[in-house]
Amino acid sequence: MTVNDYDVTADLTPEGRVEWDRMIAGEVYQDSHPEIERKRVEAKKLFRAYNRLDYDQEAERRAIMEQLFAAVGDDVFIEPNFRCEMGRNISIGSHAYINFDCVMLDNAPITIGDYVWIAPMVGLFATNHALDFEERKAGACQARPIVLEDGVWLGGHVTVLGGVTIGRGSVVGAGSVVTKDIPAGVVAVGNPARVVRPITEADRTGFCERIAARDAAC
């Protein structure tokens, strides 16, 4: 795991730091504040550079991930076109795979565990605009953390909203909208996503045993 120790907020004014701290703390903050927008632009420059790299430019891709994210583990692969809000509020564990066109609005921390798989066109939306029109027009937002524990698999077009934790090894079916916590070791589907059943031994296909036997014969 590579942790980015650089303080991305070091160049904020006191006023800008107040809005940033409120954002991270889950309080109502001014999303349209010019210094919040400046940090958003910094992240855009990094993920756009990442998305332009070829697949064989592994060192360059890794360097940008280490600069963009708060922490990133080993063997992480992110397909283009990846997009995020701040970048520095995202932590990704080892052996994670993020497929095409993922969007992460990380105004609150987004924590992704080891061996997490994210299918194409998934959205992790930690932030939400104010319901009141006048407040919304003035830039009021509130963000809540998202946690994907080890081994989570999100199907295509899944949306995960702020304040949600998805438990270890759970699978969320394609097209689902996750608005509340999902426990470990289950299949959840729907809008809003609901648990439909646990993942059990009956779901094992014998694949690991077959591969182990094949490799042992080599």
Side-chain angles (χ1 to χ4, degrees):
M1 174 74 73
T2 300
V3 177
N4 191 339
D5 292 326
Y6 170 71
D7 183 4
V8 73
T9 66
D11 60 346
L12 295 179
T13 65
E15 181 184 278
R17 186 59 188 252
V18 166
E19 296 306 320
W20 181 278
D21 288 346
R22 290 182 65 87
M23 178 181 75
I24 299 300
E27 301 173 6
V28 177
Y29 69 98
Q30 185 186 359
D31 188 66
S32 58
H33 191 281
E35 293 193 76
I36 298 294
E37 178 59 25
R38 177 162 58 86
K39 292 302 172 183
R40 188 178 287 117
V41 170
E42 290 175 9
K44 286 179 180 178
K45 290 179 179 179
L46 288 170
F47 73 65
R48 286 175 178 172
Y50 180 92
N51 290 330
R52 289 194 296 267
L53 293 173
D54 287 332
Y55 285 92
D56 60 356
Q57 295 179 276
E58 295 179 9
E60 293 88 345
R61 293 163 71 94
R62 178 71 190 190
I64 291 178
M65 282 194 284
E66 292 181 0
Q67 186 178 358
L68 178 61
F69 300 133
V72 58
D74 299 326
D75 186 31
V76 172
F77 195 88
I78 304 174
E79 301 278 8
N81 286 308
F82 174 79
R83 288 153 288 175
C84 63
E85 190 86 7
M86 301 296 171
R88 289 302 302 279
N89 298 324
I90 299 170
S91 298
I92 304 175
S94 295
H95 314 294
Y97 177 68
I98 299 171
N99 216 321
F100 300 106
D101 295 313
C102 181
V103 177
M104 299 186 189
L105 304 186
D106 60 301
N107 301 81
I110 294 177
T111 305
I112 297 171
D114 296 339
Y115 291 98
V116 170
W117 292 356
I118 296 179
M121 299 183 180
V122 165
L124 307 180
F125 302 150
T127 193
N128 197 15
H129 295 281
L131 293 178
D132 179 83
F133 169 57
E134 294 300 328
E135 290 190 344
R136 187 166 64 249
K137 187 172 63 172
C141 279
Q142 189 170 14
R144 300 171 65 198
I146 292 172
V147 177
L148 308 181
E149 295 183 351
D150 294 349
V152 165
W153 174 23
L154 303 181
H157 292 267
V158 164
T159 299
V160 181
L161 301 185
V164 164
T165 294
I166 301 178
R168 186 179 189 274
S170 285
V171 176
V172 180
S176 298
V177 178
V178 188
T179 62
K180 295 181 179 179
D181 290 353
I182 302 294
V186 299
V187 176
V189 298
N191 182 5
R194 294 181 175 85
V195 175
V196 294
R197 66 175 181 87
I199 298 170
T200 69
E201 288 294 319
D203 292 301
R204 297 182 67 90
T205 66
F207 174 81
C208 291
E209 292 77 7
R210 179 176 69 83
I211 296 301
R214 181 197 67 189
D215 293 345
C218 294

